[in-house]
Amino acid sequence: MLFAGKTVVSILTSIRAEVFVFHAFCLFAIISCRYLVTAGLVWWLIRGRSIEFDRDDVHDLRLSVVSAGIFALALATAAQLHSSGLTRIYDRVSTYGWWYIGASYLIVLVLQDSYFYATHRLFHLPRFYRLTHQGHHRSRRPSPWTSFAFDPIESLAHAGFLVAIACIVPLHLGTILAVLTTMTIWAVVNHLGLEHLPLRFPHHWLGRWMIGPAHHSIHHIQQGKHYGLYFTFWDRVMGTESRGYNDRLRKTKASIHSCYSVDNQ
């Protein structure tokens, strides 16, 4: 009986391992394709429909493939936890109502933005920077390919957040997809660079509170500034918004280009 019991456990463990590997492989393919299509299309358009890669592009692509693998493993873990009843993921809208779909989406964005700000500042500390974040800053002029180019430790930290939040906050499957889509699009847009901006943005009320390419591009020049992900709130509160940011961005596009030569403040 004991031998039979061990055999059953061994079979179940093998099946679960095979399911995990299958989930991880599928998720890796989905995440990679999402990144390549979104970043690649935007990159192709802003490069004047050119397909030439420079050395920084190749570096970002390599890091992004590693990041895709780490996120795939994390999300496959979340799927296993869900199958064991250990997450708060649900699929019936009636469980919490339609209003909660939108509310939970905003809750996750706010929590993720706060977490990102804290870890981003941590990763910029000299003792951690080389191992956790240096790869993302290899290029001073980021491109859409940079959007997912994280060092492995940083990827693990951000992927781990998604797993943790799925275990703590009740989330509909649609909400999770919306958050993941927002992450992808926002990251690509934020790495467009200063020269690919309408001059009016961010000079209206929304642009002053939402992070866009102008705000984040300055971080790639002044690494002690602009740590936020979605909102400028924490940079304002914690004093890490660049001095003269709004004044500088009110000038002409030529002066916006000159931001790349501004010394760190």
Side-chain angles (χ1 to χ4, degrees), residues 86-256:
L86 298 176
T87 72
R88 305 293 303 277
I89 300 171
Y90 65 96
D91 55 8
R92 293 185 178 181
V93 175
S94 59
T95 303
Y96 291 96
W98 282 103
W99 71 271
Y100 184 73
I101 300 291
S104 59
Y105 171 75
L106 293 176
I107 288 170
V108 173
L109 293 191
V110 169
L111 291 175
Q112 188 180 21
D113 182 71
S114 301
Y115 176 81
F116 185 90
Y117 180 90
T119 55
H120 199 179
R121 286 200 70 172
L122 178 68
F123 293 153
H124 270 276
L125 293 177
R127 69 179 66 181
F128 301 125
Y129 181 74
R130 187 176 63 84
L131 292 176
T132 63
H133 197 56
Q134 189 175 40
H136 185 73
H137 280 280
R138 178 168 176 169
S139 175
R140 282 175 61 86
R141 297 193 66 173
S143 74
W145 298 120
T146 316
S147 61
F148 203 45
F150 300 124
D151 287 308
I153 293 176
E154 183 173 13
S155 293
L156 186 61
H158 295 317
F161 169 85
L162 297 176
V163 176
I165 210 71
C167 294
I168 298 170
V169 180
L171 296 174
H172 187 269
L173 287 171
T175 304
I176 294 173
L177 290 175
V179 169
L180 293 175
T181 301
T182 301
M183 286 173 56
T184 301
I185 295 175
W186 211 293
V188 169
V189 170
N190 280 353
H191 290 88
L192 286 179
L194 293 175
E195 66 269 38
H196 303 292
L197 284 173
L199 285 179
R200 290 188 67 251
F201 191 88
H203 313 309
H204 47 72
W205 70 270
L206 182 62
R208 287 195 293 270
W209 291 101
M210 306 291 285
I211 290 175
H215 194 276
H216 189 70
S217 290
I218 290 175
H219 172 71
H220 280 263
I221 307 158
Q222 301 174 270
Q223 293 188 22
K225 306 292 183 181
H226 296 198
Y227 293 106
L229 177 61
Y230 300 124
F231 314 111
T232 62
F233 173 79
W234 285 114
D235 281 310
R236 289 168 176 259
V237 170
M238 302 302 292
T240 51
E241 187 166 79
S242 178
R243 286 187 293 111
Y245 165 68
N246 287 320
D247 292 337
R248 185 156 62 241
L249 292 182
R250 287 192 183 96
K251 298 178 181 179
T252 64
K253 184 171 285 191
S255 69
I256 292 177

Side-chain angles (χ1 to χ4, degrees), residues 10-24 76 80:
S10 176
I11 292 173
L12 291 175
T13 302
S14 176
I15 292 173
R16 179 160 292 191
E18 290 177 359
V19 171
F20 176 83
V21 171
F22 175 74
H23 284 164
Q80 291 291 320

Side-chain angles (χ1 to χ4, degrees), residues 20 23-29 31 67-77 159:
F20 176 83
H23 284 164
F25 178 80
C26 290
L27 287 164
F28 175 74
I31 293 169
S67 293
I70 292 172
F71 271 80
L73 291 172
L75 295 179
T77 299

